[in-house]
Every structure is written in structure tokens, then in C-alpha cells.
Amino acid sequence: MAVTWNIGSLDTTVTVGSLSNVVKTVHWNATDQELVDSIQHSGYVNGCIDLAAPESSSFIAYDSLTQDTVIGWVKASLGTDKVTEIENKISAQITESKTPTEISGVPW
């Protein structure tokens, strides 16, 4: 399957110069799952990222933001290598769930 990126919440500053409701921090998560023999295996990474102050010329009003736009900001801020690392970590979690190398419990 493919990793799904979501935005949990945005922290904003009410006024920055002439701009209103400026997003300063994005809380995000990335997930994936795979169904094998009726068992759901999943992986999950979450985090937050502080954004650079926006340029007035490219500013998008808070009410006009979409999840896809903000996900684009997150991925651009993280960079391609970090996005790949996160998605690989999720894949590794799913692999570990399907074929565990450690087991917790008791024998009785």
C-alpha cells in the first residue's frame, strides 16, 4: 500500500506584520497498513515541524488552506531524504508486525 500523510492540527500566530492567522507549526502523522490473512498490520510515525515565516506574495489565507497544501509544506520542509526515511520506517514496522523478531508475553 502507500503511506498516507495527514495533518492533525496547526498552530498559528494571530498577526505577523500585515498577515493574519499565520501557520507556524504543523502537527502531522503518516500511516500505512496491510491486511494479511485477516490480520491488519500497520505502521505509524507522527511529528511536528516549525515553518519558516511566509512571504507576503505567496501567503495563503488560513481559511483557504487545504490538507494537501499543508502536507506539501511538511514534505518540502522535511526534505526528500527525511520523507523517504519516515516512509521506510513505517514499512519496517509493518514487516516487523508480519514477521516479528521479538515477542512479549508469558508461556502459560
Side-chain angles (χ1 to χ4, degrees):
M1 299 191 74
V3 173
T4 301
W5 290 74
N6 290 295
I7 304 303
S9 66
L10 304 173
D11 297 339
T12 63
T13 300
V14 175
T15 304
V16 176
S18 63
L19 305 175
S20 299
N21 297 323
V22 176
V23 177
K24 63 177 185 171
T25 304
V26 179
H27 301 268
W28 57 268
N29 64 68
T31 62
D32 197 2
Q33 54 191 354
E34 186 177 337
L35 185 64
V36 178
D37 297 328
S38 301
I39 299 172
Q40 190 74 266
H41 302 277
S42 60
Y44 182 89
V45 174
N46 64 2
C48 64
I49 192 160
D50 293 327
L51 300 176
E55 298 291 328
S56 295
S57 61
S58 61
F59 181 73
I60 301 172
Y62 185 83
D63 292 341
S64 297
L65 291 174
T66 66
Q67 179 159 264
D68 287 341
T69 297
V70 179
I71 289 169
W73 294 349
V74 168
K75 287 181 173 183
S77 293
L78 290 170
T80 304
D81 290 344
K82 186 66 175 178
V83 169
T84 299
E85 179 184 318
I86 289 165
E87 292 183 349
N88 287 342
K89 182 176 182 177
I90 292 167
S91 178
Q93 290 171 357
I94 292 170
T95 298
E96 175 66 21
S97 176
K98 292 188 305 188
T99 55
T101 57
E102 296 181 4
I103 298 173
S104 178
V106 294
W108 55 88

